[in-house]
Every structure is written in structure tokens, then in C-alpha cells.
């Protein structure tokens, strides 16, 4: 079965940077047709989509609120995904989760744009254990 393991969590001063990694296992030839996403959650809040990458093409999507500070990338050979976080703010503190699933946004429009992956919690059946990110002011 597919397993995801996050690493790289920790504490950082506001304005600093942190990189999280997601290692996968259990994938074979199906990995290229996979969406790899990052979510975050704080107490009392639902899981918020942070970033997503479609493995096959490398196309990425970042919410407008995080664009410019967060970036997602991958190593297809190693089947790993990286979340780079810059200029961290106290409100970025959360438990960060890696998730994977099949593309769900498949229609005539997405076939032209390549935008196959959404960052909605329900789209992702596979989840890592989560890592804590703390940001001090």
C-alpha cells in the first residue's frame, strides 16, 4: 500500500525559511499519474490546502494567499516531494501533512491546461503522519 512520510518540521524565527520533504513508498508505474499535495492544520481549524504538484508534468498550483512565499517541487526518480516555505509568519505555524491521490479535475478544459489536481482534502486518500512547524515572533 502507499505510504507517505514527512520530514523537516521544526521551529523557525518569523521571516525565516523551512523546507519539508515527503517520501513515498508503495508506488510503481502509477506514480506519474499522481497528485502530491501539502495541507496544514491548526487546532480548531480544518485542513487547508497549501500546494499541489502533478507528478506526470510537474505542474504546480499554490493558493494566491501563499504564492510568492511557498513553492512545491519534486524528485521523480526518488518519488519525493518538497515544500519550500520562505518568509514564515506566526500564522503559518501548524501541523503540515503530505497527501497523495489520483487526479480528480479531468475535463475538456483540464485536458488543455493540464490542471488535473485540486487541493481539496476529500481528493486525497493517502496521508502522512504530519510534522509540526512552529514560528516564533
Amino acid at each position: 500500500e502507499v505510504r507517505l512520510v514527512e520530514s523537516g518540521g521544526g521551529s523557525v524565527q518569523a521571516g525565516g525559511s523551512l523546507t519539508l520533504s515527503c517520501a513515498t513508498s508503495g508506488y510503481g508505474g502509477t506514480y506519474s499519474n499522481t497528485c502530491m499535495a501539502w495541507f496544514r492544520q491548526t487546532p480548531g481549524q480544518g485542513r487547508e490546502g497549501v500546494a499541489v504538484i502533478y507528478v506526470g508534468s510537474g505542474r504546480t498550483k499554490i493558493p494566491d494567499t501563499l504564492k510568492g512565499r511557498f513553492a512545491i517541487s519534486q524528485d521523480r526518480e526518488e518519488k519525493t516531494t518538497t515544500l519550500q516555505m520562505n518568509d514564515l509568519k506566526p500564522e503559518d505555524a501548524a501541523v503540515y501533512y503530505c497527501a497523495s491521490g489520483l487526479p480528480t479535475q479531468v475535463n475538456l478544459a483540464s485536458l488543455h491546461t493540464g490542471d488535473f489536481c485540486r487541493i481539496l482534502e476529500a481528493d486525497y486518500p493517502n496521508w502522512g503522519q504530519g510534522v509540526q512547524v512552529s514560528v516564533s515572533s
Side-chain angles (χ1 to χ4, degrees):
E1 64 181 25
V2 172
R3 293 184 63 249
L4 309 176
V5 180
E6 302 99 332
S7 62
S11 299
V12 65
Q13 292 281 329
S17 299
L18 201 63
T19 300
L20 306 181
S21 295
C22 177
T24 71
S25 64
Y27 275 111
T30 61
Y31 186 64
S32 63
N33 191 37
T34 298
C35 300
M36 296 295 302
W38 287 92
F39 293 79
R40 66 186 183 185
Q41 185 172 28
T42 57
Q45 303 288 330
R47 291 186 180 180
E48 174 190 12
V50 172
V52 66
I53 184 168
Y54 179 61
V55 173
S57 67
R59 182 186 174 96
T60 63
K61 183 158 57 182
I62 306 289
D64 289 340
T65 54
L66 298 174
K67 197 174 300 180
R69 294 196 301 119
F70 286 26
I72 187 170
S73 60
Q74 68 172 339
D75 185 325
R76 292 184 63 181
E77 288 69 37
E78 294 295 322
K79 296 186 176 65
T80 60
T81 304
T82 297
L83 179 68
Q84 177 66 49
M85 302 182 290
N86 300 315
D87 191 24
L88 284 163
K89 304 175 180 180
E91 53 263 42
D92 294 320
V95 175
Y96 282 72
Y97 296 89
C98 177
S100 71
L102 292 171
T104 58
Q105 190 167 267
V106 183
N107 50 51
L108 291 177
S110 66
L111 288 173
H112 286 89
T113 65
D115 185 14
F116 301 130
C117 304
R118 305 186 296 185
I119 43 175
L120 300 176
E121 182 178 1
D123 284 3
Y124 296 88
N126 307 306
W127 294 82
Q129 81 285 358
V131 291
Q132 179 70 55
V133 171
S134 300
V135 184
S136 60
S137 60

